[in-house]
Amino acid sequence: MSQTLSATLSTTSESPATANATAQPPIIGHIINGQPHTESEHFSKVFNPATGQVTGHLALATTETVAAAIAAAQAAAPSWRATGLAKRAAVMFKLHEIITSRRDELALIISKEQGKVLSDAQGEITRGLENVEFCAGLVHHMKGEYLEQAAQGLDVHQIRQPLGVVACITPFNFPAMVPLWMITTAIAAGNTVILKPSEKDPSAVNWIVEAFHEAGLPAGVLNLVHGDKTAVQTLIDDPRVQAISFVGSTPIARAIYTQATAQGKRVQALGGAKNHMVVMPDADLDAAADAAISAGFGAAGERCMAISVVVPVGDIADELIAKISERMAKLTIGAGTDPTSEMGPVITAEAKTRIEGLIDGATADGATVVVDGRVLELPAAGFFVGPTLIDNVVPGMAVYDEEIFGPVLSVARVSSFDEAVALINNCQFANGTAVFTRDGRTAREFEYAIEVGMVGINVAIPVPIGAFSFGGWKDSLFGDTHIYGPESFNFYTRRKVVTSRWPQPEESQINLGFPTN
Ligand code: NAD
C-alpha cells in the first residue's frame, strides 16, 4: 500500500496579498543562514485549536527558498565540522540553560498552537531537554576505537565523521521534542541541518532555532524552512542533502523512505502507531484503569505512544470498562492554556471530523460505544472531541485498523494471553505496547514474544529515557536506526577505519599476496 508524496497536505494556501490584507495575525517565516525570511508565494493558516481562531500566516517555502537553505547549510558545513568538540558541547550546555530558564514561554507557545495542556507541554520540553543533555556529552559519543598491534607494527582505529548536510522533517504532535531529538544530535555530530517542521504548529521551532543561535551556534548550521510537500520533495531530490530524519504518519514515512533511499540517501522514517495495553486477570485493575486513562487521553490521544487499544484478558473486561468509564466522567476538558484543563482539543477541524467519523463507523461496524465523546458538552469554539470508549472492537473494523490519533480508547476482548500476543503481533503498527500484570513470568514471556519496538511492563507509555534510543518496528519505522540517544549518533555519522604502519626503510619488501595478519 505504498503512497506517493502527492498525498495532500491539509494546508489552506492563499496568496500573500490575502495574507497581508488580514495583517493582524503575524507572518511566521523561515530562518536561513541566521536571518529571518518571511517572503513567500504561498501561506497557510495557523490556528489556535482551542478557539478555532487564526493566529498566524505561515510562509510556505518554494523550491528556491529550500535551495537557499541547503546552500547555506552546505557553506557552513566545513567550518562546523572543523569546530572543536568542546565548543560544540558549549553550545549544548548554553542551549540547555536558555530552554530551562525560559521553558514557560516555550510551553505557552506549544499549548497555544498544538492544543495540549501546559503541564503536558512542560513534559514535552523535559523530554526534549534529555536529548540536549545527552548531546552535551558529545565528546564521549563521538569517540572512536583504537586497536594497537593488530598485526606486527600495525594499528587500526575507527573514527566518526559527520555526513554533511542533513534534513529533519517533523510532525505536529511534539512541536518541540521531536525537533530537539533530531537537530540537536545532528548538530552535535558535526552536521549542518535543514529543519522542516509541521505546518500546523510552527512557532515552537522558530523559538528553538533562535535559542540555538543565542547559545552561540554559527549562522548556517541550523536552517529552518516552513513548507509542505514541495519543500519536502526538494529536500529529497537535492543531492547535497545526505540524510533525512522523518517523524510523521506511516504513508508519508514510507513514501519518503522509498524515494530518498532510492536516491542513495541515509533515511530514518518513523511512522504511525496503534499501541495495545494488555491487562491480565491478576493485574491491579484500579492501577490499570488509571494508566489507560492517562495514556489514552493525555494530549487528546495525539501521541505516537498513546494507548489506543485496551486488551483485557479473560473475564475482567466488564469490571475494567466500568472503572475506566467512571474515571472518564471526571476528566476536565478545555483550552490547554487553562491550568484546570486535563485534556485539550485536537489539532484541526479536519482531525475532529475524521475522528468523529471513525466513531460513527465503529457503531455501524458492530462495536459498542460505551462512552460517546460526540455527545459530551464541550467548549463551543475550537476543535474539541470528547473522550470516547468503544467496546467489542475487532480487527477489520476501521476504528481498529486505522490510527485514530484522537481521544478514543478501543477495547478488544481476548480470552487468553496467547490471543493477546497474536492480536498485537498481527497489527501492522508496532511502535509501543504494554502489559499490566503482577506475575513476573507473564511479563517475561510478553517481553520475549511481542513484536513491537518499545515495551512497558506496568508502564503504559514506555518512551525510553534519553540514554537509550526510540523506535518502533514494522510500519512504525522505516530504516535501521532508532532516533535520539546512541543510535542517533550512528545515524548522523559515518565510520572510517584507518589501518597504519610506520615501518623502518629496511622492513620494506614487495609482496603481491593479499595482506594478512
Ligand atoms: P504527517 O505525516 O501528516 O506530517 C509529518 C510531516 O510530513 C510534516 O512536516 C508535514 O508537513 C510533512 N508532510 C505531510 N504530508 C506530506 C506529503 N504529502 N509529502 C511530504 N511531506 C508531507 O504527520 P502529522 O499529522 O504531522 O503527525 C502525526 C503522525 O506522526 C501520527 O501518525 C503519529 O503516530 C506520527 N508520529 C510518530 C512518532 C514516532 O516516533 N513513530 C512520533 C510522533 C508522531
Side-chain angles (χ1 to χ4, degrees), residues 276-289 291-292 309-317 320 324 412 414 416-417 420 424 434-437 442 446 458:
H276 299 68
M277 171 177 151
V278 176
V279 184
M280 295 300 292
D282 70 339
D284 176 335
L285 294 192
D286 284 304
V309 188
V310 176
V311 186
V313 177
D315 57 8
I316 56 163
L320 183 63
I324 293 174
V414 296
S416 67
F417 174 80
I424 297 169
V435 65
F436 279 69
T437 180
T442 304
F446 187 78
N458 299 315

Side-chain angles (χ1 to χ4, degrees), residues 7 9 170-173 196 199 229 246-249 271 304 403 470:
L9 265 173
T170 56
F172 81 81
N173 65 321
K196 205 304 286 172
E199 67 289 352
K229 61 187 178 198
F246 172 88
V247 174
S249 59
C304 64
E403 181 182 32
F470 175 108

Side-chain angles (χ1 to χ4, degrees), residues 178-481:
V178 174
L180 284 171
W181 284 356
M182 296 179 184
I183 59 178
T184 314
T185 319
I187 289 168
N191 301 283
T192 56
V193 176
I194 323 293
L195 169 61
K196 205 304 286 172
S198 169
E199 67 289 352
K200 297 186 182 109
D201 46 9
S203 296
V205 289
N206 280 66
W207 192 97
I208 288 170
V209 173
E210 281 167 17
F212 257 106
H213 288 129
E214 202 181 315
L217 191 73
V221 176
L222 173 58
N223 303 279
L224 167 62
V225 292
H226 293 291
D228 54 17
K229 61 187 178 198
T230 304
V232 172
Q233 197 68 55
T234 310
L235 291 167
I236 291 172
D237 292 341
D238 195 302
R240 293 171 292 182
V241 175
Q242 303 299 319
I244 296 187
S245 292
F246 172 88
V247 174
S249 59
T250 287
I252 310 299
R254 183 189 276 111
I256 287 177
Y257 181 79
T258 307
Q259 291 192 24
T261 50
Q263 303 212 28
K265 293 191 198 315
R266 189 178 285 200
V267 184
Q268 54 178 186
L270 283 74
K274 189 91 194 174
N275 306 312
H276 299 68
M277 171 177 151
V278 176
V279 184
M280 295 300 292
D282 70 339
D284 176 335
L285 294 192
D286 284 304
D290 286 344
I293 293 283
S294 311
F297 303 119
E302 291 175 326
R303 291 181 185 140
C304 64
M305 291 293 275
I307 289 297
S308 176
V309 188
V310 176
V311 186
V313 177
D315 57 8
I316 56 163
D318 291 340
E319 195 184 344
L320 183 63
I321 287 170
K323 286 178 186 294
I324 293 174
S325 309
E326 267 167 38
R327 286 160 171 79
M328 286 173 73
K330 294 182 191 149
L331 288 176
T332 309
I333 296 136
T337 50
D338 178 343
T340 63
S341 300
E342 292 170 285
M343 193 187 103
V346 298
I347 186 72
T348 55
E350 293 76 17
K352 175 178 160 67
T353 306
R354 186 184 52 77
I355 295 161
E356 290 178 342
L358 281 164
I359 304 170
D360 294 341
T363 321
D365 284 345
T368 318
V369 177
V370 181
V371 180
D372 192 343
R374 294 167 301 180
V375 298
L376 210 69
E377 205 171 304
L378 294 166
F383 315 133
F384 288 90
V385 178
T388 298
L389 184 65
I390 309 178
D391 191 11
N392 298 313
V393 171
V394 293
M397 295 178 178
V399 75
Y400 182 86
D401 294 344
E402 288 181 28
E403 181 182 32
I404 304 172
F405 223 56
V408 179
L409 261 187
S410 298
V411 178
R413 298 174 179 231
V414 296
S415 57
S416 67
F417 174 80
D418 288 348
E419 210 184 310
V421 170
L423 177 79
I424 297 169
N425 286 354
N426 282 330
C427 182
Q428 66 169 121
F429 299 109
N431 214 35
T433 189
V435 65
F436 279 69
T437 180
R438 280 180 281 198
D439 180 53
R441 186 175 172 83
T442 304
R444 202 258 174 200
E445 277 183 28
F446 187 78
E447 174 183 334
Y448 183 81
I450 213 72
E451 292 167 10
V452 176
M454 291 171 284
V455 178
I457 311 288
N458 299 315
V459 174
I461 305 191
V463 174
I465 63 157
F468 289 80
S469 298
F470 175 108
W473 289 8
K474 299 184 188 168
D475 285 359
S476 294
L477 190 150
F478 302 90
D480 303 318
T481 42

